[in-house]
Amino acid sequence: MTKLSPMGAPRVAPTARYAALCVALAAATAMPAQAATEKVAKTPATAATAKAQAQAAQPRPAKPYTIEQFMATTTVMGASFSHDERRILFSSNATGIFNVYSQSVDGGEPVALTASTTDSHLAVSYFRNDDRVLFTRDQGGNENNHLIVRELDGSERDLTPGDKVKAGFTGWSRDGDAFFVTTNERDARYIDVYRYDAKTYARTLVYQNNDGNAVFGVSGDGRWVALGKTNTTADSDVYLYDTQSKETKHLTPHQGVASFSVTSFDPESKTLLMLSNEGTEFQRLVAYDLASGQARDLEKADWDIVYSSYSRDGRYRVTGINADASLELRIVQTADGKAVTLPKMPGGELRGVAFSRTSQRMAFYLNGDRSPSNLYVYDFGTKQVKQLTRSLSKDIDPEELVEARIVRFRSFDGMVIPSVYYLPKEASPTHKVPAVVMVHGGPGGQTTRGYSAMVQYLVNHGYAVLGINNRGSSGYGKTFFTADDGKHGREPLWDCVEAKTWLAASGVVDPERIGIMGGSYGGYMTLAAMAFRPEAFKVGIDIFGVSNWLRTLESIPPYWESFRKALYLEIGDPVKDKDFLIATSPLFHAKEIRKPLLVIQGKNDPRVIKPESDEIVEAVKKNGVPVEYVVFDDEGHGFSKKKNQIEANQKMLEFLDKYLKPGVKN
């Protein structure tokens, strides 16, 4: 189950879905500096050695790095093995924009297969039986992605042409002679499924979507299409379309509120793996037998299972679990269920697992708070692991970066709010630092652990960052997930104010220097804080956030038709709930905004359109309040180009330095 909205696409596995409410309040742990000081005080020593020890125990600022140094770090993602299992296809922004690369499993320099300087090109898959490549791109961030073939001679062919077409890849046939593509070309509101011949690219319609269903995938034998129906943001169903009988079967009739979704088919097209939280707080893995129609629980965890998939030959199965804002992977042999034991790895989370055709090799990523994702390959025969990329900028010492901590506090009504906390090295009771409450997108997203150049950049320059998982966030249980329904701009916002109170009471944060920031739905929360609780935060940074719910809900992309009603049920119907939406839209209360505001927007954003930012900026300027506005003409909902990321991050730090540094009055 994932909340779907114009503010943020449903996040993939690492975000998980819901979390426990009955979490005991965790007392704030002592700062490392405090612990060190206590230890020094208890250690017998001469005056000279005591002084030296005391000086060594004092918190020190990290070595400062520029945003250019942080952005010299490379982002890599995706993994697909070539048919001979010797190369891996992936995406990298090494040139400043994402392009498609091929990397030998033996290491060495990657080979660029695309050379775009304008729009991001993202790797999808090697062809199953030769070295052709599938990749996807949109235009300036408009999210109308097309599926492209890179032929053996390097030429490109758009398989899904059309100015307003949104298309996607949804899997290979088992023999690799065909692949399946989704597209809304017939009706902008609905996603259909086509089968493409891998040699000729001739296509046939597999499923015509007349009911606004979500398409989860197609079985390897091409017979079954897994579909989803969103009833509310917390309640959903799975359907199965039989391409032979042309019949659609409802697999998940249920009572009460429950979420059902599909994670994958098995390679032999005998089993459909589903996720369900029916009768429980957290998602478990369910196996549905396609022949008998019988379902059974396959795997459970104390947190949400967020995905499970098989290796191409079915020998292995990988399951991802959202464990308190971290991703845990279980890799098992399907024959006996035994866990696969990998050699000892550097610290971090295992992500993005992909197997070669024969399961001889496994590609994966490692990601940590102080280490961006790096691509590795493991050979099951030799038991050797090889690191293929080194993503962190050579200028940056990871020891100068900081590890996150998971903290919890009680909100105004006693609800426990989990958060991801980054504290500068120099923070101490005698050197209190400014801070920002950072709100994730969604609604229904989640702040998770892992490398963030933006967060590390701010912390490196002296700002504590508290990534709040306010009520309504995924990953902490069904009850927590639904606790914000119909309450946006109110209870979730009050959680953010309580986060500020927690920071102020921490003993290492300056209570008078706390701001709020966020992107997408987090941008809305920032504007809501500025308008509805103007006394709480000193500054706000709104990154493509909603200012007017009426307009946003009426302007969502047409291909979001399948969950429009669910979105209205959670946030409000622009007709039936007009008064409520006006009451919770910051634009209509902009006269209350009295603190400095920075707004950042992509011109081509299809989810939160540019007028949302234009109008709030103009309205707040009328109050005589300092407002800074940055617009990127070549970006959409999120900034993919390094040059724009550099400018955005630099503007944020300059803004915070201007209004949150000690001595600044506002």
Side-chain angles (χ1 to χ4, degrees):
M1 172 182 67
T2 302
K3 295 186 183 181
L4 301 171
S5 83
M7 283 55 69
R11 298 185 68 185
V12 293
T15 59
R17 307 302 193 243
Y18 333 95
L21 291 179
C22 306
V23 182
L25 176 62
T29 58
M31 297 298 106
Q34 294 173 297
T37 302
E38 291 171 0
K39 184 176 181 180
V40 168
K42 296 175 183 178
T43 303
T46 64
T49 57
K51 181 178 180 181
Q53 289 174 331
Q55 290 175 339
Q58 292 300 313
R60 66 165 184 84
K63 177 183 177 181
Y65 295 113
T66 66
I67 188 56
E68 287 82 6
Q69 288 173 310
F70 272 104
M71 286 296 110
T73 293
T74 301
T75 300
V76 290
M77 58 187 180
S80 171
F81 278 93
S82 59
H83 69 104
D84 63 1
E85 309 185 50
R86 299 297 307 169
R87 284 150 294 150
I88 300 172
L89 189 75
F90 68 101
S91 307
S92 168
N93 70 344
T95 63
I97 191 167
F98 280 104
N99 274 287
V100 179
Y101 291 81
S102 178
Q103 172 74 60
S104 169
V105 297
D106 296 322
E109 289 297 315
V111 176
L113 301 183
T114 64
S116 175
T117 59
T118 53
D119 296 320
S120 291
H121 288 44
L122 300 177
V124 172
S125 177
Y126 266 117
F127 273 63
R128 288 293 194 240
N129 301 313
D130 59 51
D131 285 341
R132 285 173 296 162
V133 163
L134 287 171
F135 67 92
T136 184
R137 66 177 175 228
D138 69 358
Q139 299 81 43
N142 66 4
E143 299 188 15
N144 287 329
N145 289 79
H146 289 199
L147 189 65
I148 317 294
V149 174
R150 183 186 185 273
E151 301 284 6
L152 296 178
D153 63 2
S155 62
E156 298 176 2
R157 176 170 178 168
D158 188 346
L159 298 178
T160 54
D163 291 340
K164 297 182 179 181
V165 171
K166 182 177 181 63
F169 175 80
T170 193
W172 286 96
S173 65
R174 182 163 173 74
D175 58 14
D177 290 340
F179 54 94
F180 302 98
V181 176
T182 59
T183 171
N184 69 339
E185 65 189 73
R186 179 184 59 86
D187 187 319
R189 299 171 298 170
Y190 302 136
I191 303 296
D192 297 331
V193 182
Y194 288 86
R195 177 189 184 277
Y196 278 69
D197 184 280
K199 293 181 179 179
T200 67
Y201 310 130
R203 67 176 192 169
T204 54
L205 181 66
V206 172
Y207 171 70
Q208 181 169 306
N209 189 354
N210 296 318
D211 301 312
N213 293 318
V215 176
F216 286 126
V218 183
S219 60
D221 63 1
R223 178 174 177 180
W224 308 99
V225 181
L227 305 168
K229 181 181 180 183
T230 302
N231 305 314
T232 70
T233 53
D235 189 89
S236 55
D237 280 293
V238 171
Y239 292 79
L240 193 63
Y241 175 71
D242 187 337
T243 62
Q244 293 182 3
S245 67
K246 311 300 182 185
E247 295 179 350
T248 300
K249 182 180 181 180
H250 184 194
L251 302 189
T252 57
H254 61 275
Q255 299 294 320
V257 175
S259 170
F260 294 88
S261 61
V262 169
T263 179
S264 65
F265 286 95
D266 77 317
E268 295 183 348
S269 302
K270 293 181 177 179
T271 303
L272 176 67
L273 296 185
M274 300 188 295
L275 301 173
S276 171
N277 64 7
E278 184 181 23
T280 62
E281 281 289 317
F282 296 101
Q283 292 186 148
R284 63 189 181 277
L285 186 64
V286 177
Y288 176 86
D289 186 86
L290 294 169
S292 68
Q294 298 298 309
R296 61 184 176 88
D297 287 351
L298 185 61
E299 192 169 354
K300 297 180 181 180
D302 294 331
W303 299 88
D304 277 325
I305 292 178
V306 293
Y307 78 93
S308 191
S309 61
Y310 292 92
S311 61
R312 229 189 280 180
D313 61 1
R315 188 181 306 179
Y316 301 103
R317 183 168 57 82
V318 182
T319 298
I321 302 163
N322 182 342
D324 204 9
S326 292
L327 182 68
E328 292 183 359
L329 289 193
R330 295 175 180 171
I331 306 175
V332 300
Q333 299 176 142
T334 55
D336 54 17
K338 290 184 178 179
V340 173
T341 302
L342 297 175
K344 187 176 181 180
M345 303 293 299
E349 296 179 3
L350 199 67
R351 300 178 177 181
V353 171
F355 292 89
S356 64
R357 177 177 53 84
T358 64
S359 291
Q360 177 185 346
R361 295 185 174 93
M362 180 181 78
F364 61 91
Y365 287 93
L366 274 183
N367 180 287
D369 295 334
R370 296 182 293 120
S371 174
S373 290
N374 275 300
L375 179 63
Y376 291 76
V377 63
Y378 174 66
D379 189 303
F380 283 91
T382 64
K383 308 297 183 185
Q384 297 297 308
V385 172
K386 189 174 187 64
Q387 183 174 348
L388 300 181
T389 64
R390 299 193 180 276
S391 299
L392 188 65
S393 168
K394 294 179 181 179
D395 292 341
I396 295 178
D397 179 356
E399 294 301 320
E400 298 293 339
L401 307 181
V402 300
E403 288 284 327
R405 290 192 293 131
I406 303 299
V407 300
R408 290 174 166 81
F409 61 87
R410 290 195 184 277
S411 194
F412 64 94
D413 58 355
M415 182 173 283
V416 175
I417 307 299
S419 303
V420 183
Y421 189 34
Y422 297 83
L423 192 66
K425 291 179 178 292
E426 66 266 34
S428 75
T430 58
H431 183 82
K432 295 183 179 181
V433 297
V436 288
V437 174
M438 183 178 69
V439 191
H440 60 66
Q446 181 187 18
T447 299
T448 59
R449 295 190 64 161
Y451 185 79
S452 167
M454 179 190 74
V455 170
Q456 291 289 354
Y457 176 57
L458 294 180
V459 177
N460 181 253
H461 286 265
Y463 293 90
V465 177
L466 184 71
I468 184 174
N469 281 313
N470 50 272
R471 69 191 65 200
S473 301
S474 42
Y476 300 96
K478 182 163 52 178
T479 304
F480 192 85
F481 185 70
T482 58
D484 68 339
D485 291 0
K487 301 175 181 178
H488 299 289
R490 297 180 180 181
E491 282 88 337
L493 171 60
W494 302 341
D495 292 339
C496 295
V497 176
E498 292 299 324
K500 181 246 185 179
T501 301
W502 183 87
L503 284 168
S506 69
V508 294
V509 168
D510 185 342
E512 300 301 316
R513 305 290 163 188
I514 301 175
I516 186 170
M517 65 181 293
S520 196
Y521 178 76
Y524 162 72
M525 292 282 275
T526 297
L527 294 175
M530 296 286 98
F532 305 135
R533 295 297 300 269
E535 82 292 348
F537 297 97
K538 292 297 181 181
V539 300
I541 299 177
D542 158 33
I543 308 169
F544 44 79
V546 174
S547 66
N548 179 354
W549 278 119
L550 289 173
R551 175 174 48 217
T552 290
L553 291 169
E554 290 172 346
S555 64
I556 63 175
Y559 47 83
W560 288 39
E561 186 64 28
S562 62
F563 44 86
R564 179 189 296 272
K565 291 181 180 179
L567 191 58
Y568 286 3
L569 286 171
E570 176 174 342
I571 297 176
D573 186 301
V575 176
K576 297 178 182 178
D577 303 312
K578 182 177 180 180
D579 291 342
F580 173 76
L581 292 174
I582 289 175
T584 54
S585 293
L587 181 63
F588 301 106
H589 308 272
K591 65 181 184 298
E592 303 297 331
I593 298 179
R594 304 191 291 267
K595 300 294 175 62
L597 178 67
L598 170 63
V599 178
I600 306 176
Q601 176 73 41
K603 181 180 179 181
N604 304 318
D605 194 333
R607 309 186 192 193
V608 181
I609 58 178
K610 185 171 174 286
E612 291 289 315
S613 293
D614 291 344
E615 292 186 8
I616 195 69
V617 167
E618 290 305 312
V620 176
K621 282 182 177 179
K622 294 177 181 178
N623 301 339
V625 173
V627 182
E628 298 179 22
Y629 190 24
V630 179
V631 178
F632 295 113
D633 291 338
D634 54 352
E635 298 281 13
H637 198 75
F639 311 139
S640 63
K641 300 173 178 64
K642 279 191 179 183
K643 64 181 180 64
N644 296 334
Q645 293 170 356
I646 288 172
E647 182 178 350
N649 281 276
Q650 200 160 34
K651 291 287 187 184
M652 285 189 274
L653 182 63
E654 290 172 354
F655 177 80
L656 293 174
D657 284 351
K658 185 175 182 179
Y659 295 108
L660 278 191
K661 285 293 185 181
V664 175
K665 301 294 184 182
N666 60 72

